Amino acid sequence: MNIESNFPQYPEKREISLDDKDILKQKLIKLQPQISEYTFTNLWIWRQHRPVYLSQLDETILIFRKNLNDEIYLLPPIGDETSLNVFQKQKQKSIEDLSGLYGLNREEANK
Protein backbone atom coordinates (compact mmCIF):
# COMPACT_ATOMS: atom_id res chain seq x y z
CA MET A 1 0.00 0.00 0.00
CA ASN A 2 1.41 3.37 -0.98
CA ILE A 3 1.08 5.91 1.82
CA GLU A 4 1.21 8.83 -0.62
CA SER A 5 -2.37 8.27 -1.65
CA ASN A 6 -3.65 8.03 1.92
CA PHE A 7 -2.19 10.93 3.88
CA PRO A 8 -1.63 14.61 3.13
CA GLN A 9 1.94 15.91 3.05
CA TYR A 10 3.04 17.68 6.23
CA PRO A 11 2.21 20.34 7.40
CA GLU A 12 -1.27 19.47 6.10
CA LYS A 13 -3.04 16.87 8.21
CA ARG A 14 -6.46 15.34 8.54
CA GLU A 15 -8.46 13.50 11.15
CA ILE A 16 -8.21 9.73 11.41
CA SER A 17 -10.94 7.73 9.68
CA LEU A 18 -12.02 4.11 9.46
CA ASP A 19 -10.53 4.07 5.95
CA ASP A 20 -7.09 4.30 7.63
CA LYS A 21 -7.54 1.06 9.55
CA ASP A 22 -5.84 -1.34 7.12
CA ILE A 23 -2.75 0.72 6.33
CA LEU A 24 -2.19 1.78 9.94
CA LYS A 25 -2.62 -1.74 11.26
CA GLN A 26 -0.20 -3.01 8.60
CA LYS A 27 2.42 -0.38 9.48
CA LEU A 28 1.96 -0.49 13.27
CA ILE A 29 2.16 -4.27 13.54
CA LYS A 30 5.64 -4.16 11.96
CA LEU A 31 6.79 -1.95 14.85
CA GLN A 32 5.49 -4.31 17.53
CA PRO A 33 4.72 -1.24 19.62
CA GLN A 34 5.29 -1.18 23.35
CA ILE A 35 2.82 1.66 23.95
CA SER A 36 -0.93 1.22 23.83
CA GLU A 37 -1.39 4.43 21.85
CA TYR A 38 0.13 2.62 18.91
CA THR A 39 -2.82 0.49 17.93
CA PHE A 40 -5.50 1.53 15.48
CA THR A 41 -8.20 0.50 17.96
CA ASN A 42 -6.83 2.77 20.68
CA LEU A 43 -6.40 5.72 18.31
CA TRP A 44 -9.91 5.24 16.98
CA ILE A 45 -11.84 4.79 20.22
CA TRP A 46 -10.21 7.78 21.96
CA ARG A 47 -10.42 10.17 19.00
CA GLN A 48 -13.44 12.03 20.42
CA HIS A 49 -11.59 12.96 23.63
CA ARG A 50 -8.09 13.26 22.23
CA PRO A 51 -8.32 14.00 18.51
CA VAL A 52 -5.95 12.13 16.20
CA TYR A 53 -4.56 13.65 13.01
CA LEU A 54 -2.58 11.96 10.24
CA SER A 55 -0.01 13.28 7.82
CA GLN A 56 3.18 12.19 6.14
CA LEU A 57 6.66 13.60 5.72
CA ASP A 58 8.37 12.00 2.76
CA GLU A 59 7.75 8.26 3.32
CA THR A 60 7.09 8.58 7.04
CA ILE A 61 3.60 8.43 8.54
CA LEU A 62 2.97 11.06 11.20
CA ILE A 63 0.37 10.56 13.91
CA PHE A 64 -0.56 13.59 15.98
CA ARG A 65 -2.68 13.61 19.09
CA LYS A 66 -4.22 16.55 20.90
CA ASN A 67 -4.00 16.45 24.69
CA LEU A 68 -6.49 17.79 27.21
CA ASN A 69 -4.77 21.22 27.08
CA ASP A 70 -5.37 21.42 23.30
CA GLU A 71 -1.65 20.96 22.60
CA ILE A 72 -0.74 18.80 19.62
CA TYR A 73 1.98 16.20 20.05
CA LEU A 74 3.68 13.96 17.53
CA LEU A 75 3.67 10.27 18.41
CA PRO A 76 6.75 8.33 17.30
CA PRO A 77 6.72 8.46 13.47
CA ILE A 78 6.18 5.31 11.44
CA GLY A 79 8.91 4.81 8.88
CA ASP A 80 12.63 4.39 8.42
CA GLU A 81 13.68 7.72 9.94
CA THR A 82 14.11 8.18 13.67
CA SER A 83 11.61 10.26 15.61
CA LEU A 84 14.11 13.02 16.35
CA ASN A 85 15.12 13.35 12.67
CA VAL A 86 11.48 13.73 11.67
CA PHE A 87 10.83 16.19 14.50
CA GLN A 88 13.84 18.29 13.42
CA LYS A 89 12.52 18.42 9.84
CA GLN A 90 9.20 19.66 11.16
CA LYS A 91 10.83 22.33 13.30
CA GLN A 92 12.77 23.54 10.25
CA LYS A 93 9.44 24.24 8.59
CA SER A 94 8.57 26.54 11.54
CA ILE A 95 5.30 24.82 12.22
CA GLU A 96 3.53 26.59 15.05
CA ASP A 97 0.93 23.99 16.03
CA LEU A 98 3.31 21.30 17.23
CA SER A 99 3.92 21.35 21.00
CA GLY A 100 6.33 18.48 21.22
CA LEU A 101 7.32 14.93 20.55
CA TYR A 102 5.60 12.24 22.58
CA GLY A 103 7.87 11.38 25.49
CA LEU A 104 9.74 14.72 25.50
CA ASN A 105 8.76 17.67 27.65
CA ARG A 106 8.40 21.12 26.09
CA GLU A 107 11.94 22.20 27.02
CA GLU A 108 13.51 19.10 25.47
CA ALA A 109 11.39 19.44 22.35
CA ASN A 110 12.43 23.07 21.84
CA LYS A 111 16.20 22.41 21.99
Side-chain angles (χ1 to χ4, degrees):
M1 230 177 254
N2 184 354
I3 67 169
E4 293 176 18
S5 60
N6 290 290
F7 307 110
Q9 278 290 327
Y10 186 78
E12 300 298 318
K13 52 187 167 286
R14 65 166 174 75
E15 290 187 24
I16 194 170
S17 77
L18 279 176
D19 293 335
D20 300 317
K21 181 180 178 181
D22 290 339
I23 192 167
L24 287 178
K25 284 181 82 170
Q26 173 190 358
K27 298 292 184 178
L28 291 170
I29 202 160
K30 288 181 182 178
L31 295 176
Q32 297 187 1
Q34 303 297 309
I35 56 174
S36 63
E37 285 90 345
Y38 252 36
T39 64
F40 179 82
T41 301
N42 185 295
L43 294 170
W44 181 254
I45 62 173
W46 285 100
R47 75 191 185 289
Q48 299 297 322
H49 299 286
R50 295 191 181 189
V52 175
Y53 305 97
L54 302 172
S55 185
Q56 75 179 56
L57 184 63
D58 301 325
E59 289 298 312
T60 302
I61 298 173
L62 307 177
I63 301 176
F64 299 90
R65 184 166 240 171
K66 190 179 280 190
N67 68 15
L68 297 176
N69 296 323
D70 284 336
E71 297 171 319
I72 296 176
Y73 287 85
L74 172 65
L75 292 171
I78 303 169
D80 293 333
E81 288 197 72
T82 66
S83 297
L84 287 176
N85 285 347
V86 172
F87 188 66
Q88 289 300 322
K89 282 184 180 180
Q90 290 173 300
K91 283 178 67 174
Q92 288 172 0
K93 292 177 180 266
S94 301
I95 304 304
E96 301 286 330
D97 69 345
L98 186 62
S99 298
L101 179 62
Y102 183 84
L104 296 180
N105 64 34
R106 187 180 296 274
E107 292 77 33
E108 293 171 322
N110 288 321
K111 284 183 182 179

